[in-house]
Coordinates of all heavy atoms in Angstrom, one line a residue:
Chain B
T1159 N 2.8 21.2 -19.8 CA 3.4 21.1 -18.4 C 2.5 20.7 -17.3 O 2.8 20.9 -16.2 CB 4.2 22.5 -18.1 OG1 3.2 23.4 -17.8 CG2 5.1 22.9 -19.1
S1160 N 1.4 20.1 -17.7 CA 0.4 19.6 -16.7 C 1.1 18.3 -16.1 O 1.9 17.7 -16.7 CB -0.9 19.3 -17.2 OG -0.8 18.3 -18.3
Q1161 N 0.5 17.8 -15.0 CA 0.9 16.5 -14.4 C -0.3 15.9 -14.0 O -1.1 16.4 -13.2 CB 2.0 16.8 -13.2 CG 3.2 17.4 -13.7 CD 4.2 17.5 -12.4 OE1 4.1 16.8 -11.5 NE2 5.1 18.4 -12.5
A1162 N -0.5 14.6 -14.4 CA -1.7 13.9 -14.0 C -1.4 12.4 -14.3 O -0.6 12.0 -15.0 CB -2.9 14.3 -14.8
T1163 N -2.3 11.6 -13.6 CA -2.3 10.1 -13.8 C -3.7 9.7 -14.0 O -4.7 10.0 -13.3 CB -1.8 9.3 -12.5 OG1 -0.4 9.8 -12.2 CG2 -1.7 7.9 -12.8
V1164 N -3.9 8.9 -15.2 CA -5.3 8.4 -15.4 C -5.3 6.9 -15.3 O -4.3 6.2 -15.8 CB -5.6 8.8 -16.9 CG1 -7.0 8.2 -17.3 CG2 -5.7 10.3 -17.1
I1165 N -6.2 6.3 -14.6 CA -6.4 4.9 -14.4 C -7.6 4.4 -15.1 O -8.6 4.9 -14.8 CB -6.3 4.5 -12.9 CG1 -5.1 5.1 -12.3 CG2 -6.4 3.0 -12.8 CD1 -5.1 4.9 -10.7
E1166 N -7.4 3.5 -16.0 CA -8.5 2.9 -16.7 C -8.7 1.5 -16.3 O -7.9 0.7 -16.3 CB -8.1 2.9 -18.2 CG -9.3 2.9 -19.3 CD -8.7 2.9 -20.7 OE1 -7.7 3.7 -20.9 OE2 -9.2 2.3 -21.5
H1167 N -9.9 1.1 -15.8 CA -10.2 -0.1 -15.2 C -11.3 -0.8 -15.9 O -12.4 -0.3 -16.0 CB -10.7 0.2 -13.7 CG -11.0 -1.0 -12.8 ND1 -12.0 -1.1 -12.0 CD2 -10.4 -2.2 -12.9 CE1 -12.0 -2.3 -11.4 NE2 -11.0 -2.9 -11.9
H1168 N -11.0 -2.0 -16.5 CA -11.9 -2.8 -17.2 C -12.3 -4.0 -16.4 O -11.5 -4.8 -16.1 CB -11.2 -3.2 -18.6 CG -11.0 -2.1 -19.5 ND1 -11.9 -1.7 -20.5 CD2 -10.0 -1.2 -19.5 CE1 -11.5 -0.6 -21.2 NE2 -10.3 -0.3 -20.5
T1169 N -13.6 -4.1 -16.2 CA -14.1 -5.3 -15.5 C -15.3 -5.9 -16.3 O -15.8 -5.2 -17.2 CB -14.7 -4.9 -14.1 OG1 -15.6 -3.8 -14.4 CG2 -13.7 -4.4 -13.3
G1170 N -15.7 -7.2 -16.0 CA -16.7 -7.7 -16.7 C -17.3 -9.0 -16.0 O -16.7 -9.5 -15.2
G1171 N -18.5 -9.3 -16.5 CA -19.2 -10.5 -15.9 C -18.5 -11.7 -16.6 O -17.5 -11.7 -17.3
N1172 N -19.2 -12.9 -16.4 CA -18.7 -14.1 -16.9 C -19.3 -14.5 -18.2 O -19.2 -15.6 -18.7 CB -18.8 -15.3 -16.0 CG -17.9 -15.1 -14.8 OD1 -16.7 -14.7 -14.9 ND2 -18.3 -15.3 -13.5
T1173 N -20.1 -13.6 -18.8 CA -20.8 -13.9 -20.1 C -19.9 -13.4 -21.3 O -19.1 -12.4 -21.1 CB -22.1 -13.1 -20.1 OG1 -21.9 -11.7 -19.8 CG2 -23.1 -13.8 -19.1
P1174 N -20.1 -14.0 -22.5 CA -19.4 -13.6 -23.7 C -19.7 -12.2 -24.0 O -20.8 -11.7 -24.0 CB -19.7 -14.6 -24.8 CG -20.4 -15.8 -24.0 CD -21.0 -15.2 -22.7
A1175 N -18.7 -11.5 -24.4 CA -18.8 -10.1 -24.9 C -17.6 -9.7 -25.7 O -16.5 -10.3 -25.5 CB -19.0 -9.1 -23.7
L1176 N -17.8 -8.8 -26.6 CA -16.5 -8.3 -27.4 C -16.4 -6.8 -27.0 O -17.2 -6.0 -27.3 CB -16.8 -8.5 -28.8 CG -15.8 -7.9 -29.8 CD1 -14.5 -8.6 -29.6 CD2 -16.3 -8.0 -31.2
I1177 N -15.3 -6.5 -26.4 CA -15.0 -5.1 -26.1 C -13.8 -4.7 -26.8 O -12.7 -5.3 -26.8 CB -14.7 -5.1 -24.4 CG1 -15.9 -5.7 -23.8 CG2 -14.5 -3.6 -24.0 CD1 -15.4 -6.8 -22.8
C1178 N -13.9 -3.6 -27.6 CA -12.8 -3.0 -28.4 C -12.5 -1.6 -28.0 O -13.0 -0.6 -28.7 CB -13.2 -3.2 -29.8 SG -13.8 -4.7 -30.4
P1179 N -11.9 -1.4 -26.9 CA -11.5 0.0 -26.4 C -10.4 0.6 -27.3 O -9.6 -0.1 -27.9 CB -10.9 -0.2 -25.0 CG -11.2 -1.7 -24.7 CD -11.2 -2.4 -26.0

Side-chain angles (χ1 to χ4, degrees):
Chain B
T1159 69
S1160 64
Q1161 294 185 25
T1163 301
V1164 177
I1165 304 174
E1166 200 177 323
H1167 182 217
H1168 291 265
T1169 54
N1172 289 318
T1173 51
L1176 176 64
I1177 306 124
C1178 306

